[in-house]
């Protein structure tokens, strides 16, 4: 192949790549809008996994124009292999009927998994019809336009506990959650996230306030994984849960584990130093670092720097902040 034909091949490949990249960022058709959306994240292997936003990842794709055709092909093949889908799947495999003295209702077991990655963990929660109904009502208040074509299983006067009705609702609620998750603004909304996490968090914090640190920690560790998946675009929102885990580990005399989760929380607050958890977390981390023989001077410097910038006001300890969460 002569030089001119070789350059032409490179130009054609670059033009093709440009068309692909352009088409992937254009607005989807009406038909595509009705399909469940999948967030795509293309990252170099050593990239921070928090930076999985499609826009940011597209910006990292910058092949050198001096690459040969073969090198360009290998580059894009490598980038494609590193792309991974980020999508949650909702399954409702079973139910159970709960009978109290004055009430009877069905609990739906919801399994939430993440596909397109090596995530082998799953989150399991239970919700009843009235929980779904409350979610639907709350979402209608805030997202009336988006919810316009979303149907919700209606109540029936009789037969609510028959196998037929329960199975119908299992399928309906599964489709309902999948549809809600496909809508970007809804899946990122506090109301949707609260529906999936708040009952468990309330139970965990109740155990923490009661000194049941082992039970609280067990629940918090179950919830934190789901919270991370649901709030990928807002990592600061899980800081309270991370700090509650720190408190539990610390009171259970697991300083190494407490420090590990404290580092995760601090990494999410490095540009949010005005956050109410920042100073109490720093103070706790200094104590833990000293106990573990780690570098606490750098943490002490950050604390002193923070104090010089802020007015001297009363600040709660990390544990005092934690026990105040979800107090109704």
């Amino acid at each position: 192949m002569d030089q001119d034909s070789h350059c032409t091949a490179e130009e054609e490949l670059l033009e093709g790549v440009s068309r692909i990249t352009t088409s992937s960022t254009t607005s989807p058709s009406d038909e595509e809008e009705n399909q469940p959306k999948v967030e795509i994240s293309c990252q170099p292997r050593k990239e921070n996994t928090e930076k999985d936003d499609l826009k940011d990842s597209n910006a990292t794709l910058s092949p050198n124009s001096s690459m040969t055709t073969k090198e360009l092909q290998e580059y894009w093949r490598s980038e494609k292999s590193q792309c991974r889908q980020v999508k949650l799947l909702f399954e409702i495999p079973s139910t159970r009927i709960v009978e109290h003295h004055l009430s009877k209702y069905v609990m739906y077991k919801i399994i939430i998994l993440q596909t397109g990655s090596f995530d082998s963990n799953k989150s399991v929660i239970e919700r009843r019809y009235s929980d779904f109904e409350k979610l639907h009502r709350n979402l209608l208040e805030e997202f009336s336009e988006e919810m316009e074509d979303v149907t919700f299983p209606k109540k029936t006067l009789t037969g609510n506990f028959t196998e037929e009705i329960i199975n119908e609702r299992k399928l309906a609620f599964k489709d309902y959650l999948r549809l809600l998750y496909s809508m970007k603004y809804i899946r990122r909304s506090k109301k949707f996230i609260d529906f999936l996490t708040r009952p468990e968090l309330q139970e965990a914090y109740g155990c923490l306030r009661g000194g049941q640190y082992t039970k609280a920690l067990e629940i918090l560790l179950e919830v934190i994984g789901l919270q991370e998946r649901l709030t990928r675009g807002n990592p600061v929102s899980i800081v309270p849960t991370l700090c509650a885990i720190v408190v539990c580990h610390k009171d259970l005399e697991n300083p190494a584990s407490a420090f590990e989760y404290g580092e995760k929380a601090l990494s999410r607050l490095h540009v949010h130093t005005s956050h109410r958890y920042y100073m109490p977390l720093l103070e706790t981390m200094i104590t833990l670092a000293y106990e573990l023989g780690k570098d606490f001077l750098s943490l002490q410097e950050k604390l002193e720097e923070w104090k010089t910038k802020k007015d001297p006001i009363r600040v709660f300890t990390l544990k005092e902040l934690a026990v105040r969460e979800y107090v109704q």
Side-chain angles (χ1 to χ4, degrees):
M1 184 184 290
D2 58 27
Q3 185 175 0
D4 290 342
S5 60
H6 181 71
C7 292
T8 302
E10 288 186 15
E11 290 171 358
E12 289 176 351
L13 180 59
L14 283 170
E15 184 180 350
V17 168
S18 175
R19 284 199 300 270
I20 293 171
T21 305
T22 303
S23 65
S24 67
T25 57
T26 54
S27 300
S29 65
D30 291 339
E31 182 179 351
E32 291 170 332
E33 280 291 344
N34 293 328
Q35 300 298 321
K37 295 180 177 56
V38 178
E39 294 181 356
I40 303 297
S41 170
C42 303
Q43 304 170 331
R45 289 186 181 88
K46 294 183 180 179
E47 191 85 73
N48 186 332
T49 54
E50 291 295 333
K51 300 178 181 178
D52 64 347
D53 187 85
L54 177 59
K55 183 177 179 181
D56 292 340
S57 60
N58 278 343
T60 67
L61 305 182
S62 53
N64 193 310
S65 60
S66 64
M67 286 181 177
T68 65
T69 302
K70 184 177 180 181
E71 288 172 338
L72 277 168
Q73 290 172 335
E74 290 177 351
Y75 174 87
W76 288 110
R77 191 179 298 114
S78 173
E79 288 297 333
K80 185 178 179 181
S81 69
Q82 293 168 30
C83 292
R84 61 185 178 86
Q85 293 181 329
V86 178
K87 179 182 178 182
L88 293 186
L89 295 180
F90 299 87
E91 299 291 340
I92 304 181
S94 61
T95 61
R96 64 186 178 95
I97 296 176
V98 178
E99 292 190 61
H100 289 307
H101 184 60
L102 296 174
S103 64
K104 181 179 179 181
Y105 53 87
V106 179
M107 293 294 288
Y108 296 85
K109 181 180 180 180
I110 306 168
I111 297 179
I112 306 161
L113 333 136
Q114 179 173 306
T115 62
S117 74
F118 296 106
D119 176 24
S120 60
N121 296 324
K122 63 183 179 183
S123 300
V124 182
I125 60 176
E126 283 189 316
R127 298 294 182 267
R128 54 188 290 188
Y129 181 94
S130 59
D131 296 323
F132 281 97
E133 190 177 40
K134 181 181 178 182
L135 169 66
H136 190 71
R137 189 168 57 249
N138 289 339
L139 290 176
L140 282 174
E141 292 175 0
E142 188 174 350
F143 304 101
S144 55
E145 238 180 86
E146 291 86 344
M147 298 287 291
E148 191 174 22
D149 298 322
V150 178
T151 57
F152 187 81
K154 294 181 179 179
K155 276 187 176 179
T156 58
L157 294 177
T158 59
N160 285 304
F161 302 101
T162 64
E163 185 177 353
E164 182 182 1
I165 293 295
I166 290 174
N167 285 333
E168 283 179 4
R169 286 184 175 173
K170 276 169 56 179
L171 294 173
F173 285 141
K174 173 185 170 180
D175 290 340
Y176 178 73
L177 290 173
R178 184 177 61 182
L179 182 57
L180 293 183
Y181 183 75
S182 74
M183 303 178 194
K184 182 174 69 174
Y185 294 109
I186 289 181
R187 73 169 171 263
R188 293 181 179 178
S189 70
K190 185 177 184 301
K191 291 175 180 178
F192 182 67
I193 293 170
D194 276 354
F195 168 79
L196 296 171
T197 61
R198 189 178 180 91
E200 287 71 25
L201 286 172
Q202 286 177 323
E203 182 183 359
Y205 279 98
C207 291
L208 194 158
R209 283 189 290 273
Q212 301 176 49
Y213 302 116
T214 301
K215 180 63 176 176
L217 183 60
E218 180 185 333
I219 300 170
L220 290 168
L221 291 175
E222 286 282 337
V223 176
I224 191 67
L226 179 56
Q227 275 189 307
E228 287 176 329
R229 297 178 186 92
L230 290 167
T231 61
R232 299 181 73 90
N234 184 21
V236 177
S237 63
I238 67 169
V239 166
T241 307
L242 288 171
C243 289
I245 292 174
V246 171
V247 169
C248 290
H249 273 307
K250 189 171 183 295
D251 279 29
L252 290 170
E253 298 183 356
N254 300 323
S257 297
F259 191 83
E260 177 190 346
Y261 280 92
E263 285 187 314
K264 291 180 181 180
L266 273 182
S267 69
R268 288 160 170 78
L269 294 179
H270 71 283
V271 293
H272 300 279
T273 57
S274 60
H275 196 282
R276 70 187 189 281
Y277 271 89
Y278 183 71
M279 183 179 173
L281 178 59
L282 270 179
E283 290 177 331
T284 300
M285 290 295 284
I286 290 168
T287 302
L288 290 169
Y290 183 80
E291 183 179 348
L292 293 167
K294 294 180 179 290
D295 172 31
F296 63 89
L297 293 178
S298 59
L299 294 170
Q300 187 71 49
E301 287 174 4
K302 289 181 181 179
L303 181 61
E304 294 303 324
E305 181 184 354
W306 185 91
K307 287 180 177 178
T308 60
K309 293 179 180 179
K310 302 292 180 180
D311 294 329
I313 56 174
R314 180 174 183 264
V315 177
F316 294 113
T317 66
L318 195 67
K319 187 173 183 178
E320 287 173 337
L321 273 180
V323 298
R324 283 169 168 74
E325 295 284 348
Y326 294 95
V327 175
Q328 297 179 335

